């Protein structure tokens, strides 16, 4: 009977171990499935963030180009506007010269009329 009892105990232990192993395996599979789904969701979120990053990088590149164009336009405008005082002085000199010549013409006409 000792052998029978020992054999029954071993069989029970084996079956109990098998039941516990099957239960733990099914739980592990469920957890694996949950973690797998979470991982896929995280990977989708990462892909979305990467796509947004790429779009933002393209937008930044476009804005940099636009900024460069605007800086160039401003530089040209400043260069042109820096010439304004010089041109105004030239115009003023021209007006003064014109007035002087007009006075000279008037003097010469008066002289001619006297002759």
């Amino acid at each position: 009977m000792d052998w029978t009892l020992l054999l029954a105990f071993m069989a029970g232990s084996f079956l109990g171990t098998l039941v516990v192993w099957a239960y733990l395996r099914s739980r592990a599979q469920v957890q694996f499935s949950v973690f797998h789904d979470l991982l896929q969701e995280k990977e989708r979120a990462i892909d979305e963030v990467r796509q947004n990053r790429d779009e933002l990088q393209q937008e930044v590149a476009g804005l940099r180009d636009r900024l460069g164009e605007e800086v160039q336009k401003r530089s040209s405008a400043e260069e042109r506007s820096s010439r304004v005082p010089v041109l105004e002085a030239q115009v003023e000199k021209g007006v003064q010269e014109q007035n002087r010549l007009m006075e000279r013409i008037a003097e010469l006409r008066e002289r001619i009329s006297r002759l």
Side-chain angles (χ1 to χ4, degrees):
M1 276 213 204
D2 290 330
W3 291 103
T4 315
L5 187 60
L6 182 62
L7 188 59
F9 176 74
M10 287 176 60
S13 294
F14 178 73
L15 287 175
T17 302
L18 190 61
V19 167
V20 168
W21 176 80
Y23 172 75
L24 291 177
R25 183 168 184 221
S26 69
R27 281 187 50 123
Q29 285 177 341
V30 168
Q31 285 181 342
F32 176 78
S33 176
V34 168
F35 288 140
H36 182 71
D37 292 344
L38 287 173
L39 180 62
Q40 284 181 336
E41 186 177 321
K42 295 293 182 188
E43 286 176 350
R44 273 184 253 134
I46 288 171
D47 289 341
E48 186 177 320
V49 167
R50 284 183 180 148
Q51 183 179 6
N52 288 341
R53 181 200 61 199
D54 293 343
E55 290 171 2
L56 289 173
Q57 285 176 338
Q58 289 176 351
E59 185 178 347
V60 165
L63 290 172
R64 279 189 183 136
D65 292 343
R66 213 170 128 205
L67 177 62
E69 292 170 3
E70 292 299 324
V71 165
Q72 192 173 27
K73 286 178 185 177
R74 182 177 179 174
S75 176
S76 295
E78 286 176 353
E79 184 179 324
R80 285 191 306 268
S81 71
S82 70
R83 292 187 58 212
V84 168
V86 173
L87 294 174
E88 285 177 342
Q90 288 176 349
V91 167
E92 183 62 31
K93 278 184 180 179
V95 167
Q96 289 174 358
E97 181 69 18
Q98 182 183 6
N99 289 339
R100 189 184 65 74
L101 290 173
M102 296 280 280
E103 288 174 9
R104 179 75 177 139
I105 289 171
E107 286 175 15
L108 291 174
R109 280 187 183 162
E110 191 176 319
R111 269 183 161 179
I112 289 174
S113 68
R114 285 189 209 158
L115 294 175

